Short mmCIF file of all heavy atoms in Angstrom, two decimals:
data_model
loop_
_atom_site.label_atom_id
_atom_site.label_comp_id
_atom_site.label_asym_id
_atom_site.label_seq_id
_atom_site.Cartn_x
_atom_site.Cartn_y
_atom_site.Cartn_z
N MET A 7 -2.12 -9.78 -13.03
CA MET A 7 -1.42 -8.86 -12.12
C MET A 7 0.08 -9.11 -12.17
O MET A 7 0.52 -10.24 -12.06
CB MET A 7 -1.94 -9.08 -10.70
CG MET A 7 -1.38 -8.10 -9.68
SD MET A 7 -1.93 -8.55 -8.03
CE MET A 7 -3.72 -8.61 -8.27
N ARG A 8 0.83 -8.02 -12.33
CA ARG A 8 2.27 -8.17 -12.32
C ARG A 8 2.77 -8.29 -10.88
O ARG A 8 2.23 -7.68 -9.98
CB ARG A 8 2.93 -6.96 -12.99
CG ARG A 8 2.68 -6.91 -14.50
CD ARG A 8 3.46 -5.80 -15.14
NE ARG A 8 3.07 -4.50 -14.63
CZ ARG A 8 3.93 -3.60 -14.15
NH1 ARG A 8 5.20 -3.87 -14.09
NH2 ARG A 8 3.50 -2.44 -13.72
N THR A 9 3.80 -9.06 -10.71
CA THR A 9 4.37 -9.23 -9.37
C THR A 9 5.83 -8.81 -9.36
O THR A 9 6.60 -9.23 -8.53
CB THR A 9 4.25 -10.68 -8.90
OG1 THR A 9 4.90 -11.52 -9.84
CG2 THR A 9 2.81 -11.08 -8.74
N SER A 10 6.21 -7.95 -10.30
CA SER A 10 7.60 -7.55 -10.42
C SER A 10 7.93 -6.34 -9.55
O SER A 10 9.05 -5.88 -9.57
CB SER A 10 7.93 -7.24 -11.87
OG SER A 10 7.09 -6.22 -12.35
N ASN A 11 6.94 -5.85 -8.82
CA ASN A 11 7.21 -4.71 -7.96
C ASN A 11 7.97 -5.16 -6.72
O ASN A 11 7.84 -6.30 -6.28
CB ASN A 11 5.89 -4.04 -7.56
CG ASN A 11 5.19 -3.43 -8.76
OD1 ASN A 11 5.71 -2.55 -9.41
ND2 ASN A 11 4.02 -3.96 -9.06
N PRO A 12 8.76 -4.27 -6.15
CA PRO A 12 9.61 -4.67 -5.02
C PRO A 12 8.81 -4.87 -3.74
O PRO A 12 7.78 -4.22 -3.53
CB PRO A 12 10.57 -3.50 -4.89
CG PRO A 12 9.80 -2.32 -5.40
CD PRO A 12 8.95 -2.87 -6.53
N PRO A 13 9.28 -5.74 -2.88
CA PRO A 13 8.68 -5.85 -1.54
C PRO A 13 9.04 -4.61 -0.74
O PRO A 13 9.95 -3.87 -1.12
CB PRO A 13 9.34 -7.10 -0.96
CG PRO A 13 10.67 -7.16 -1.63
CD PRO A 13 10.44 -6.64 -3.03
N PRO A 14 8.33 -4.38 0.36
CA PRO A 14 8.63 -3.19 1.16
C PRO A 14 10.02 -3.27 1.77
O PRO A 14 10.49 -4.35 2.15
CB PRO A 14 7.54 -3.20 2.24
CG PRO A 14 7.08 -4.62 2.30
CD PRO A 14 7.23 -5.17 0.91
N THR A 15 10.66 -2.13 1.87
CA THR A 15 11.88 -2.05 2.65
C THR A 15 11.51 -2.17 4.12
O THR A 15 10.34 -1.99 4.49
CB THR A 15 12.60 -0.71 2.42
OG1 THR A 15 11.76 0.34 2.94
CG2 THR A 15 12.86 -0.45 0.94
N PRO A 16 12.49 -2.45 4.99
CA PRO A 16 12.17 -2.48 6.43
C PRO A 16 11.52 -1.19 6.90
O PRO A 16 10.61 -1.22 7.74
CB PRO A 16 13.54 -2.70 7.07
CG PRO A 16 14.30 -3.46 6.03
CD PRO A 16 13.86 -2.87 4.71
N GLN A 17 11.98 -0.06 6.35
CA GLN A 17 11.40 1.22 6.75
C GLN A 17 9.96 1.34 6.28
O GLN A 17 9.10 1.84 7.00
CB GLN A 17 12.24 2.37 6.17
CG GLN A 17 13.62 2.52 6.80
CD GLN A 17 14.63 1.51 6.25
OE1 GLN A 17 14.39 0.85 5.23
NE2 GLN A 17 15.76 1.39 6.92
N GLN A 18 9.71 0.90 5.04
CA GLN A 18 8.34 0.97 4.52
C GLN A 18 7.43 0.03 5.29
O GLN A 18 6.29 0.37 5.63
CB GLN A 18 8.33 0.62 3.03
CG GLN A 18 8.90 1.73 2.16
CD GLN A 18 9.03 1.31 0.72
OE1 GLN A 18 9.39 0.18 0.41
NE2 GLN A 18 8.74 2.23 -0.19
N TRP A 19 7.91 -1.18 5.58
CA TRP A 19 7.09 -2.13 6.33
C TRP A 19 6.76 -1.58 7.72
O TRP A 19 5.64 -1.72 8.21
CB TRP A 19 7.79 -3.49 6.42
CG TRP A 19 6.97 -4.47 7.19
CD1 TRP A 19 7.26 -5.02 8.39
CD2 TRP A 19 5.69 -5.00 6.80
NE1 TRP A 19 6.24 -5.85 8.78
CE2 TRP A 19 5.28 -5.86 7.83
CE3 TRP A 19 4.88 -4.83 5.68
CZ2 TRP A 19 4.06 -6.55 7.78
CZ3 TRP A 19 3.66 -5.52 5.63
CH2 TRP A 19 3.27 -6.36 6.67
N GLN A 20 7.76 -0.94 8.34
CA GLN A 20 7.52 -0.37 9.66
C GLN A 20 6.45 0.72 9.58
O GLN A 20 5.61 0.84 10.48
CB GLN A 20 8.82 0.19 10.24
CG GLN A 20 8.73 0.50 11.72
CD GLN A 20 8.45 -0.75 12.55
OE1 GLN A 20 9.09 -1.78 12.34
NE2 GLN A 20 7.49 -0.69 13.44
N ALA A 21 6.49 1.53 8.52
CA ALA A 21 5.48 2.57 8.35
C ALA A 21 4.09 1.96 8.22
O ALA A 21 3.11 2.49 8.75
CB ALA A 21 5.81 3.43 7.13
N ILE A 22 4.01 0.82 7.52
CA ILE A 22 2.72 0.14 7.36
C ILE A 22 2.25 -0.40 8.72
O ILE A 22 1.10 -0.21 9.13
CB ILE A 22 2.83 -0.99 6.33
CG1 ILE A 22 3.14 -0.41 4.94
CG2 ILE A 22 1.56 -1.84 6.32
CD1 ILE A 22 3.56 -1.47 3.92
N VAL A 23 3.15 -1.06 9.43
CA VAL A 23 2.80 -1.64 10.73
C VAL A 23 2.38 -0.54 11.71
O VAL A 23 1.43 -0.71 12.48
CB VAL A 23 4.00 -2.44 11.30
CG1 VAL A 23 3.74 -2.86 12.74
CG2 VAL A 23 4.27 -3.66 10.43
N ASP A 24 3.07 0.59 11.65
CA ASP A 24 2.78 1.70 12.56
C ASP A 24 1.62 2.57 12.07
O ASP A 24 1.24 3.52 12.75
CB ASP A 24 4.01 2.59 12.73
CG ASP A 24 5.14 1.90 13.47
OD1 ASP A 24 4.87 0.89 14.14
OD2 ASP A 24 6.29 2.36 13.37
N ARG A 25 1.11 2.27 10.86
CA ARG A 25 0.08 3.13 10.24
C ARG A 25 0.56 4.57 10.24
O ARG A 25 -0.14 5.48 10.70
CB ARG A 25 -1.25 3.01 10.98
CG ARG A 25 -1.78 1.59 11.03
CD ARG A 25 -3.08 1.54 11.79
NE ARG A 25 -3.42 0.16 12.13
CZ ARG A 25 -4.46 -0.17 12.86
NH1 ARG A 25 -5.27 0.76 13.34
NH2 ARG A 25 -4.71 -1.44 13.12
N ASP A 26 1.76 4.76 9.74
CA ASP A 26 2.43 6.05 9.82
C ASP A 26 1.89 7.00 8.75
O ASP A 26 2.26 6.92 7.58
CB ASP A 26 3.93 5.84 9.63
CG ASP A 26 4.73 7.12 9.80
OD1 ASP A 26 4.12 8.19 9.95
OD2 ASP A 26 5.97 7.03 9.78
N ALA A 27 1.02 7.92 9.19
CA ALA A 27 0.38 8.83 8.25
C ALA A 27 1.37 9.79 7.61
O ALA A 27 1.10 10.36 6.56
CB ALA A 27 -0.73 9.61 8.93
N SER A 28 2.53 9.97 8.24
CA SER A 28 3.52 10.87 7.66
C SER A 28 4.10 10.29 6.37
O SER A 28 4.72 11.02 5.59
CB SER A 28 4.65 11.15 8.65
OG SER A 28 5.50 10.03 8.80
N GLN A 29 3.90 9.00 6.15
CA GLN A 29 4.38 8.36 4.93
C GLN A 29 3.33 8.35 3.82
O GLN A 29 3.62 7.95 2.69
CB GLN A 29 4.82 6.92 5.21
CG GLN A 29 6.04 6.83 6.10
CD GLN A 29 7.25 7.49 5.48
OE1 GLN A 29 7.62 7.20 4.36
NE2 GLN A 29 7.85 8.43 6.20
N ASP A 30 2.12 8.79 4.13
CA ASP A 30 1.10 8.86 3.10
C ASP A 30 1.57 9.81 2.01
O ASP A 30 2.01 10.92 2.29
CB ASP A 30 -0.22 9.37 3.69
CG ASP A 30 -0.93 8.32 4.52
OD1 ASP A 30 -0.40 7.20 4.64
OD2 ASP A 30 -2.01 8.62 5.04
N GLY A 31 1.47 9.38 0.79
CA GLY A 31 1.96 10.19 -0.32
C GLY A 31 3.38 9.83 -0.72
O GLY A 31 3.80 10.15 -1.83
N GLY A 32 4.10 9.17 0.17
CA GLY A 32 5.45 8.76 -0.16
C GLY A 32 5.47 7.46 -0.95
O GLY A 32 6.29 7.26 -1.84
N PHE A 33 4.54 6.57 -0.60
CA PHE A 33 4.39 5.33 -1.34
C PHE A 33 3.02 4.74 -1.02
O PHE A 33 2.34 5.19 -0.09
CB PHE A 33 5.49 4.32 -1.00
CG PHE A 33 5.40 3.71 0.40
CD1 PHE A 33 4.79 2.47 0.58
CD2 PHE A 33 5.91 4.39 1.50
CE1 PHE A 33 4.70 1.92 1.86
CE2 PHE A 33 5.82 3.85 2.78
CZ PHE A 33 5.21 2.61 2.95
N VAL A 34 2.61 3.80 -1.84
CA VAL A 34 1.44 2.98 -1.51
C VAL A 34 1.88 1.53 -1.55
O VAL A 34 2.95 1.22 -2.08
CB VAL A 34 0.26 3.21 -2.50
CG1 VAL A 34 -0.21 4.66 -2.45
CG2 VAL A 34 0.64 2.80 -3.91
N TYR A 35 1.09 0.65 -0.97
CA TYR A 35 1.46 -0.76 -1.02
C TYR A 35 0.29 -1.59 -1.54
O TYR A 35 -0.88 -1.29 -1.27
CB TYR A 35 1.95 -1.28 0.34
CG TYR A 35 0.90 -1.31 1.43
CD1 TYR A 35 0.16 -2.47 1.67
CD2 TYR A 35 0.65 -0.20 2.23
CE1 TYR A 35 -0.79 -2.52 2.67
CE2 TYR A 35 -0.30 -0.23 3.23
CZ TYR A 35 -1.02 -1.40 3.45
OH TYR A 35 -1.96 -1.44 4.44
N GLY A 36 0.64 -2.60 -2.33
CA GLY A 36 -0.36 -3.50 -2.87
C GLY A 36 -0.29 -4.83 -2.15
O GLY A 36 0.80 -5.30 -1.80
N VAL A 37 -1.46 -5.43 -1.90
CA VAL A 37 -1.52 -6.73 -1.24
C VAL A 37 -1.80 -7.78 -2.30
O VAL A 37 -2.84 -7.77 -2.95
CB VAL A 37 -2.62 -6.75 -0.16
CG1 VAL A 37 -2.63 -8.09 0.57
CG2 VAL A 37 -2.42 -5.60 0.83
N LEU A 38 -0.83 -8.67 -2.48
CA LEU A 38 -0.91 -9.64 -3.58
C LEU A 38 -2.09 -10.58 -3.43
O LEU A 38 -2.70 -10.99 -4.42
CB LEU A 38 0.40 -10.44 -3.67
CG LEU A 38 1.63 -9.60 -4.01
CD1 LEU A 38 2.87 -10.47 -3.87
CD2 LEU A 38 1.53 -9.02 -5.41
N SER A 39 -2.44 -10.91 -2.19
CA SER A 39 -3.49 -11.91 -1.99
C SER A 39 -4.87 -11.36 -2.30
O SER A 39 -5.78 -12.12 -2.63
CB SER A 39 -3.44 -12.44 -0.55
OG SER A 39 -3.56 -11.37 0.38
N THR A 40 -5.03 -10.04 -2.20
CA THR A 40 -6.35 -9.45 -2.41
C THR A 40 -6.43 -8.60 -3.66
O THR A 40 -7.53 -8.29 -4.13
CB THR A 40 -6.74 -8.57 -1.20
OG1 THR A 40 -5.79 -7.51 -1.08
CG2 THR A 40 -6.79 -9.38 0.08
N GLY A 41 -5.28 -8.13 -4.18
CA GLY A 41 -5.28 -7.26 -5.33
C GLY A 41 -5.68 -5.84 -5.00
O GLY A 41 -6.01 -5.06 -5.89
N ILE A 42 -5.63 -5.49 -3.72
CA ILE A 42 -5.98 -4.15 -3.26
C ILE A 42 -4.70 -3.38 -2.93
O ILE A 42 -3.73 -3.97 -2.47
CB ILE A 42 -6.85 -4.24 -1.97
CG1 ILE A 42 -8.13 -5.03 -2.24
CG2 ILE A 42 -7.16 -2.86 -1.40
CD1 ILE A 42 -9.11 -4.34 -3.14
N PHE A 43 -4.74 -2.06 -3.18
CA PHE A 43 -3.61 -1.26 -2.70
C PHE A 43 -4.09 -0.20 -1.73
O PHE A 43 -5.22 0.26 -1.78
CB PHE A 43 -2.79 -0.66 -3.85
CG PHE A 43 -3.45 0.48 -4.60
CD1 PHE A 43 -3.16 1.80 -4.27
CD2 PHE A 43 -4.30 0.23 -5.65
CE1 PHE A 43 -3.73 2.86 -4.99
CE2 PHE A 43 -4.88 1.27 -6.36
CZ PHE A 43 -4.60 2.58 -6.04
N CYS A 44 -3.17 0.15 -0.80
CA CYS A 44 -3.48 1.01 0.33
C CYS A 44 -2.37 2.02 0.53
O CYS A 44 -1.25 1.83 0.09
CB CYS A 44 -3.59 0.18 1.62
SG CYS A 44 -5.05 -0.86 1.71
N ARG A 45 -2.71 3.07 1.28
CA ARG A 45 -1.65 3.97 1.75
C ARG A 45 -1.17 3.47 3.12
O ARG A 45 -1.84 2.67 3.78
CB ARG A 45 -2.14 5.41 1.79
CG ARG A 45 -3.40 5.65 2.57
CD ARG A 45 -3.91 7.06 2.26
NE ARG A 45 -5.25 7.30 2.75
CZ ARG A 45 -5.53 8.17 3.73
NH1 ARG A 45 -4.57 8.82 4.33
NH2 ARG A 45 -6.77 8.36 4.10
N PRO A 46 0.02 3.96 3.54
CA PRO A 46 0.63 3.38 4.75
C PRO A 46 -0.26 3.43 5.99
O PRO A 46 -0.18 2.54 6.85
CB PRO A 46 1.89 4.22 4.94
CG PRO A 46 2.25 4.68 3.56
CD PRO A 46 0.93 4.89 2.85
N SER A 47 -1.10 4.45 6.11
CA SER A 47 -1.87 4.59 7.35
C SER A 47 -3.18 3.82 7.33
O SER A 47 -3.98 3.94 8.25
CB SER A 47 -2.17 6.07 7.61
OG SER A 47 -3.02 6.60 6.60
N CYS A 48 -3.42 3.01 6.29
CA CYS A 48 -4.68 2.28 6.23
C CYS A 48 -4.89 1.39 7.45
O CYS A 48 -3.97 0.70 7.87
CB CYS A 48 -4.72 1.41 4.97
SG CYS A 48 -6.30 0.55 4.77
N PRO A 49 -6.08 1.39 8.02
CA PRO A 49 -6.34 0.55 9.21
C PRO A 49 -6.37 -0.95 8.90
O PRO A 49 -6.23 -1.76 9.80
CB PRO A 49 -7.71 1.04 9.69
CG PRO A 49 -8.34 1.68 8.50
CD PRO A 49 -7.20 2.27 7.70
N SER A 50 -6.55 -1.32 7.62
CA SER A 50 -6.62 -2.74 7.29
C SER A 50 -5.28 -3.22 6.74
O SER A 50 -5.19 -3.69 5.63
CB SER A 50 -7.74 -2.99 6.28
OG SER A 50 -7.51 -2.24 5.10
N ARG A 51 -4.24 -3.05 7.54
CA ARG A 51 -2.91 -3.42 7.07
C ARG A 51 -2.76 -4.94 6.99
O ARG A 51 -3.42 -5.68 7.73
CB ARG A 51 -1.84 -2.84 7.98
CG ARG A 51 -1.82 -3.45 9.35
CD ARG A 51 -0.86 -2.70 10.24
NE ARG A 51 -0.63 -3.40 11.48
CZ ARG A 51 -1.45 -3.36 12.52
NH1 ARG A 51 -2.57 -2.69 12.42
NH2 ARG A 51 -1.17 -4.01 13.61
N PRO A 52 -1.89 -5.37 6.09
CA PRO A 52 -1.69 -6.82 5.93
C PRO A 52 -0.83 -7.40 7.04
O PRO A 52 -0.19 -6.67 7.80
CB PRO A 52 -0.95 -6.92 4.59
CG PRO A 52 -0.17 -5.63 4.53
CD PRO A 52 -1.06 -4.58 5.18
N ALA A 53 -0.83 -8.71 7.13
CA ALA A 53 -0.14 -9.38 8.22
C ALA A 53 1.32 -9.68 7.91
O ALA A 53 2.13 -9.73 8.81
CB ALA A 53 -0.86 -10.68 8.58
N ARG A 54 1.63 -9.85 6.65
CA ARG A 54 2.96 -10.36 6.32
C ARG A 54 3.59 -9.53 5.20
O ARG A 54 2.96 -9.27 4.19
CB ARG A 54 2.88 -11.81 5.84
CG ARG A 54 2.48 -12.80 6.92
CD ARG A 54 2.28 -14.18 6.34
NE ARG A 54 1.17 -14.20 5.38
CZ ARG A 54 1.26 -14.61 4.13
NH1 ARG A 54 2.39 -15.06 3.66
NH2 ARG A 54 0.21 -14.60 3.35
N PRO A 55 4.86 -9.13 5.38
CA PRO A 55 5.52 -8.34 4.31
C PRO A 55 5.65 -9.11 3.01
O PRO A 55 5.72 -8.51 1.95
CB PRO A 55 6.88 -8.01 4.92
CG PRO A 55 7.08 -8.94 6.05
CD PRO A 55 5.70 -9.30 6.54
N ARG A 56 5.68 -10.44 3.06
CA ARG A 56 5.85 -11.21 1.83
C ARG A 56 4.65 -11.09 0.91
O ARG A 56 4.76 -11.40 -0.28
CB ARG A 56 6.11 -12.69 2.15
CG ARG A 56 7.47 -12.94 2.75
CD ARG A 56 7.75 -14.41 2.88
NE ARG A 56 7.59 -15.10 1.60
CZ ARG A 56 8.16 -16.26 1.31
NH1 ARG A 56 8.91 -16.84 2.21
NH2 ARG A 56 7.97 -16.83 0.16
N SER A 57 3.50 -10.70 1.43
CA SER A 57 2.31 -10.58 0.59
C SER A 57 2.13 -9.16 0.07
O SER A 57 1.12 -8.85 -0.52
CB SER A 57 1.07 -11.00 1.38
OG SER A 57 0.84 -10.11 2.45
N VAL A 58 3.14 -8.32 0.27
CA VAL A 58 3.02 -6.90 -0.04
C VAL A 58 4.07 -6.49 -1.07
O VAL A 58 5.20 -6.96 -1.04
CB VAL A 58 3.22 -6.08 1.26
CG1 VAL A 58 3.36 -4.60 0.96
CG2 VAL A 58 2.04 -6.31 2.19
N VAL A 59 3.67 -5.62 -1.98
CA VAL A 59 4.62 -4.93 -2.85
C VAL A 59 4.42 -3.43 -2.67
O VAL A 59 3.31 -2.97 -2.40
CB VAL A 59 4.47 -5.31 -4.33
CG1 VAL A 59 4.81 -6.78 -4.54
CG2 VAL A 59 3.08 -5.00 -4.85
N CYS A 60 5.50 -2.69 -2.82
CA CYS A 60 5.40 -1.24 -2.67
C CYS A 60 5.45 -0.56 -4.03
O CYS A 60 6.15 -1.00 -4.94
CB CYS A 60 6.53 -0.71 -1.78
SG CYS A 60 6.13 -0.92 -0.04
N LEU A 61 4.67 0.50 -4.15
CA LEU A 61 4.54 1.24 -5.40
C LEU A 61 4.67 2.71 -5.08
O LEU A 61 4.26 3.16 -4.01
CB LEU A 61 3.18 0.93 -6.03
CG LEU A 61 2.94 -0.55 -6.28
CD1 LEU A 61 1.54 -0.95 -5.91
CD2 LEU A 61 3.24 -0.89 -7.72
N GLU A 62 5.23 3.45 -6.04
CA GLU A 62 5.46 4.87 -5.76
C GLU A 62 4.17 5.68 -5.78
O GLU A 62 4.04 6.65 -5.04
CB GLU A 62 6.45 5.44 -6.78
CG GLU A 62 7.87 4.91 -6.59
CD GLU A 62 8.84 5.63 -7.50
OE1 GLU A 62 8.46 6.61 -8.14
OE2 GLU A 62 10.00 5.19 -7.55
N THR A 63 3.25 5.30 -6.65
CA THR A 63 2.05 6.12 -6.84
C THR A 63 0.82 5.24 -7.03
O THR A 63 0.92 4.05 -7.36
CB THR A 63 2.19 7.00 -8.09
OG1 THR A 63 2.30 6.15 -9.23
CG2 THR A 63 3.41 7.90 -8.01
N ALA A 64 -0.33 5.85 -6.85
CA ALA A 64 -1.58 5.15 -7.13
C ALA A 64 -1.66 4.77 -8.60
O ALA A 64 -2.19 3.71 -8.94
CB ALA A 64 -2.76 6.03 -6.74
N GLU A 65 -1.12 5.62 -9.47
CA GLU A 65 -1.14 5.31 -10.90
C GLU A 65 -0.36 4.03 -11.18
O GLU A 65 -0.78 3.19 -11.97
CB GLU A 65 -0.55 6.48 -11.70
CG GLU A 65 -1.44 7.71 -11.78
CD GLU A 65 -1.49 8.49 -10.46
OE1 GLU A 65 -0.57 8.32 -9.63
OE2 GLU A 65 -2.45 9.25 -10.28
N ALA A 66 0.77 3.89 -10.52
CA ALA A 66 1.58 2.68 -10.71
C ALA A 66 0.83 1.46 -10.19
O ALA A 66 0.91 0.37 -10.78
CB ALA A 66 2.92 2.82 -9.99
N ALA A 67 0.09 1.63 -9.12
CA ALA A 67 -0.67 0.51 -8.57
C ALA A 67 -1.78 0.09 -9.54
O ALA A 67 -2.00 -1.09 -9.78
CB ALA A 67 -1.27 0.89 -7.22
N HIS A 68 -2.48 1.08 -10.10
CA HIS A 68 -3.51 0.75 -11.09
C HIS A 68 -2.89 0.03 -12.28
O HIS A 68 -3.44 -0.94 -12.79
CB HIS A 68 -4.21 2.03 -11.56
CG HIS A 68 -5.23 2.56 -10.61
ND1 HIS A 68 -6.34 1.83 -10.23
CD2 HIS A 68 -5.31 3.74 -9.96
CE1 HIS A 68 -7.05 2.57 -9.39
NE2 HIS A 68 -6.47 3.72 -9.19
N ALA A 69 -1.72 0.54 -12.72
CA ALA A 69 -1.05 -0.07 -13.87
C ALA A 69 -0.64 -1.51 -13.57
O ALA A 69 -0.56 -2.34 -14.47
CB ALA A 69 0.16 0.77 -14.27
N GLY A 70 -0.37 -1.78 -12.29
CA GLY A 70 0.03 -3.11 -11.89
C GLY A 70 -1.15 -4.04 -11.65
O GLY A 70 -0.96 -5.20 -11.29
N GLY A 71 -2.37 -3.54 -11.84
CA GLY A 71 -3.54 -4.38 -11.72
C GLY A 71 -4.20 -4.35 -10.36
O GLY A 71 -5.12 -5.12 -10.09
N PHE A 72 -3.75 -3.45 -9.49
CA PHE A 72 -4.36 -3.35 -8.16
C PHE A 72 -5.57 -2.42 -8.18
O PHE A 72 -5.65 -1.50 -8.99
CB PHE A 72 -3.34 -2.81 -7.15
CG PHE A 72 -2.22 -3.78 -6.85
CD1 PHE A 72 -0.98 -3.63 -7.46
CD2 PHE A 72 -2.41 -4.84 -5.98
CE1 PHE A 72 0.05 -4.53 -7.19
CE2 PHE A 72 -1.40 -5.73 -5.70
CZ PHE A 72 -0.16 -5.57 -6.31
N ARG A 73 -6.49 -2.67 -7.27
CA ARG A 73 -7.65 -1.80 -7.08
C ARG A 73 -7.49 -1.02 -5.79
O ARG A 73 -6.94 -1.53 -4.81
CB ARG A 73 -8.94 -2.64 -7.01
CG ARG A 73 -9.37 -3.22 -8.35
CD ARG A 73 -10.59 -4.11 -8.22
NE ARG A 73 -10.30 -5.32 -7.45
CZ ARG A 73 -10.88 -5.64 -6.30
NH1 ARG A 73 -11.80 -4.87 -5.79
NH2 ARG A 73 -10.56 -6.75 -5.68
N ALA A 74 -8.00 0.22 -5.79
CA ALA A 74 -7.85 1.07 -4.62
C ALA A 74 -8.69 0.55 -3.47
O ALA A 74 -9.84 0.15 -3.63
CB ALA A 74 -8.27 2.50 -4.96
N CYS A 75 -8.10 0.57 -2.27
CA CYS A 75 -8.80 0.19 -1.06
C CYS A 75 -9.96 1.16 -0.80
O CYS A 75 -9.81 2.37 -0.96
CB CYS A 75 -7.82 0.23 0.10
SG CYS A 75 -8.56 -0.05 1.72
N LEU A 76 -11.09 0.64 -0.38
CA LEU A 76 -12.25 1.49 -0.12
C LEU A 76 -12.18 2.15 1.25
O LEU A 76 -12.93 3.07 1.54
CB LEU A 76 -13.54 0.67 -0.23
CG LEU A 76 -13.84 0.12 -1.63
CD1 LEU A 76 -15.10 -0.73 -1.59
CD2 LEU A 76 -13.96 1.23 -2.64
N ARG A 77 -11.29 1.68 2.10
CA ARG A 77 -11.19 2.26 3.44
C ARG A 77 -10.28 3.48 3.47
O ARG A 77 -10.59 4.46 4.11
CB ARG A 77 -10.67 1.21 4.43
CG ARG A 77 -11.63 0.04 4.58
CD ARG A 77 -11.13 -0.95 5.60
NE ARG A 77 -11.20 -0.43 6.97
CZ ARG A 77 -10.89 -1.13 8.05
NH1 ARG A 77 -10.50 -2.38 7.92
NH2 ARG A 77 -10.99 -0.60 9.23
N CYS A 78 -9.12 3.40 2.77
CA CYS A 78 -8.16 4.51 2.88
C CYS A 78 -8.10 5.36 1.61
O CYS A 78 -7.44 6.39 1.61
CB CYS A 78 -6.78 3.99 3.24
SG CYS A 78 -6.03 2.92 1.99
N ARG A 79 -8.78 4.93 0.55
CA ARG A 79 -8.85 5.74 -0.68
C ARG A 79 -7.48 6.22 -1.15
O ARG A 79 -7.25 7.43 -1.24
CB ARG A 79 -9.78 6.93 -0.45
CG ARG A 79 -11.21 6.55 -0.16
CD ARG A 79 -11.91 6.11 -1.40
NE ARG A 79 -13.30 5.79 -1.16
CZ ARG A 79 -14.14 5.39 -2.12
NH1 ARG A 79 -13.72 5.31 -3.36
NH2 ARG A 79 -15.38 5.08 -1.85
N PRO A 80 -6.58 5.32 -1.42
CA PRO A 80 -5.21 5.74 -1.79
C PRO A 80 -5.14 6.45 -3.14
O PRO A 80 -4.12 7.04 -3.47
CB PRO A 80 -4.45 4.42 -1.83
CG PRO A 80 -5.48 3.40 -2.16
CD PRO A 80 -6.73 3.87 -1.46
N ASP A 81 -6.22 6.41 -3.92
CA ASP A 81 -6.20 7.10 -5.21
C ASP A 81 -6.83 8.48 -5.12
O ASP A 81 -7.06 9.14 -6.13
CB ASP A 81 -6.90 6.26 -6.28
CG ASP A 81 -8.34 5.93 -5.91
OD1 ASP A 81 -8.73 6.15 -4.75
OD2 ASP A 81 -9.05 5.44 -6.80
N SER A 82 -7.09 8.97 -3.90
CA SER A 82 -7.64 10.30 -3.73
C SER A 82 -6.74 11.11 -2.78
O SER A 82 -7.12 11.40 -1.65
CB SER A 82 -9.06 10.23 -3.14
OG SER A 82 -9.91 9.51 -4.03
N PRO A 83 -5.55 11.44 -3.24
CA PRO A 83 -4.60 12.11 -2.34
C PRO A 83 -5.10 13.45 -1.82
O PRO A 83 -4.65 13.92 -0.79
CB PRO A 83 -3.36 12.30 -3.21
CG PRO A 83 -3.81 12.13 -4.61
CD PRO A 83 -4.99 11.20 -4.56
N GLU A 84 -6.05 14.05 -2.50
CA GLU A 84 -6.55 15.34 -2.01
C GLU A 84 -7.30 15.19 -0.69
O GLU A 84 -7.52 16.16 0.02
CB GLU A 84 -7.46 16.01 -3.06
CG GLU A 84 -8.74 15.24 -3.35
CD GLU A 84 -8.58 14.17 -4.43
OE1 GLU A 84 -7.41 13.83 -4.77
OE2 GLU A 84 -9.58 13.68 -4.91
N SER A 85 -7.68 13.96 -0.35
CA SER A 85 -8.41 13.74 0.89
C SER A 85 -7.48 13.30 2.03
O SER A 85 -7.93 13.06 3.13
CB SER A 85 -9.49 12.67 0.68
OG SER A 85 -8.90 11.41 0.45
N TRP A 86 -6.16 13.21 1.75
CA TRP A 86 -5.26 12.73 2.79
C TRP A 86 -5.03 13.79 3.85
O TRP A 86 -4.92 14.95 3.53
CB TRP A 86 -3.92 12.31 2.17
CG TRP A 86 -4.05 11.10 1.30
CD1 TRP A 86 -5.21 10.42 0.95
CD2 TRP A 86 -2.99 10.42 0.64
NE1 TRP A 86 -4.89 9.38 0.13
CE2 TRP A 86 -3.57 9.35 -0.08
CE3 TRP A 86 -1.60 10.62 0.61
CZ2 TRP A 86 -2.79 8.49 -0.83
CZ3 TRP A 86 -0.85 9.76 -0.13
CH2 TRP A 86 -1.44 8.70 -0.85
ZN1 ZN B 111 -6.54 0.64 2.62
#
């Protein structure tokens, strides 16, 4: 798994903490400790920004070695 992706900006982290559905489609985030990626509104948000990287698309997350979360289905934008 590559770890060269950027950490969340304060705005992105706030969207994750707030489960801000308006940010769905704007970015996804990968959790380094689990290898899972999620959309901002996922109910299983991580605890610490240091364990998170942000990615523009689900495709980028797959390319980075992350697997799609089964709870929020970040690789199925048609269901958002
Ligand atoms: Zn998720």
